[in-house]
């Protein structure tokens, strides 16, 4: 999955950063989430270009199949930084 997402980053110049890793928080408020992904896009338009991208569409089932509870095991948030 990580290699798939990094490959997408190489194809989409608006995807500025991508990182993923296991949850190492010791605060006890992670609601059983074990891993996280963070992607930074240059603009909302770049995020919107990523969502229907064929490579994203292809990797999405791999991610969902690895989540405890399938899609119910995901939390997805998007936000824009203030200008």
């Amino acid at each position: 999955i990580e290699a798939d997402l990094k490959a997408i980053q190489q194809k989409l110049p608006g995807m500025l950063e991508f990182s993923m890793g296991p949850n190492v928080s010791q605060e006890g408020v992670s609601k059983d989430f074990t891993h996280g992904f963070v992607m930074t896009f240059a603009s909302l338009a770049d995020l919107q270009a990523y969502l229907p991208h064929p490579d994203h569409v292809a990797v999405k089932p791999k991610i969902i199949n690895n989540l405890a509870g399938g899609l119910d095991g995901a939390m997805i948030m998007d936000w824009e930084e203030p200008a």
Side-chain angles (χ1 to χ4, degrees), residues 58-77:
V59 76
K60 206 159 120 175
K62 291 181 187 179
I63 296 169
I64 292 169
N65 289 337
N66 280 283
L67 297 174
L71 194 53
D72 287 337
M75 181 179 69
I76 300 169
M77 296 177 59

Side-chain angles (χ1 to χ4, degrees), residues 5-82:
L5 292 172
K6 285 185 178 183
I8 295 170
Q9 183 182 14
Q10 299 303 312
K11 295 178 181 180
L12 291 175
M15 185 178 187
L16 303 178
E17 297 178 20
F18 161 74
S19 65
M20 66 176 284
N23 177 15
V24 296
S25 176
Q26 297 179 8
E27 294 180 78
V29 294
S30 299
K31 303 207 186 286
D32 297 326
F33 289 104
T34 61
H35 289 74
F37 299 87
V38 174
M39 298 175 184
T40 303
F41 294 89
S43 67
L44 182 57
D46 290 308
L47 168 61
Q48 291 167 338
Y50 163 76
L51 295 174
H53 189 281
D55 292 349
H56 173 244
V57 172
V59 76
K60 206 159 120 175
K62 291 181 187 179
I63 296 169
I64 292 169
N65 289 337
N66 280 283
L67 297 174
L71 194 53
D72 287 337
M75 181 179 69
I76 300 169
M77 296 177 59
D78 301 322
W79 65 88
E80 288 187 272
E81 294 286 336

